Amino acid sequence: MSVGVHNGESGVATNRGGVEFLAHQDGASLLTRRWEQSQLQGSELHEIAGQAMLPSSFSLAINAWQSAYAEGIFYNICNLYYCDQR
């Protein structure tokens, strides 16, 4: 993400994304693998790896998320008759 600049002041922009793998059985958590990163740019490849001893029967939940946030700057535009904040 990029932010605009006005008279040397810049706004704010950020993003965040991630993925999570959760193994569970009968309400008990067996395994969690999670990856999260901020300031994602374009395409990126990430690997979540590891070994775990799991029973022959379990449930697997896979969650993924992404969020973005941007905030501009305020500045005044004035003439002889009025000022307006933008």
Side-chain angles (χ1 to χ4, degrees), residues 22-32 54-55 57-59:
L22 304 165
H24 51 90
Q25 181 184 55
D26 299 325
S29 178
L30 303 173
L31 172 74
T32 300
L54 295 171
S57 175
F58 63 91
S59 296

Side-chain angles (χ1 to χ4, degrees), residues 20-72:
E20 178 178 63
F21 297 87
L22 304 165
H24 51 90
Q25 181 184 55
D26 299 325
S29 178
L30 303 173
L31 172 74
T32 300
R33 293 286 189 265
R34 180 182 177 119
W35 167 84
E36 188 170 346
Q37 182 175 336
S38 60
Q39 300 301 77
L40 298 165
Q41 298 289 331
S43 297
E44 297 184 21
L45 178 63
H46 298 276
E47 181 178 319
I48 298 175
Q51 294 182 346
M53 297 294 292
L54 295 171
S56 60
S57 175
F58 63 91
S59 296
L60 179 64
I62 302 172
N63 303 310
W65 63 93
Q66 184 172 359
S67 64
Y69 171 80
E71 180 180 302

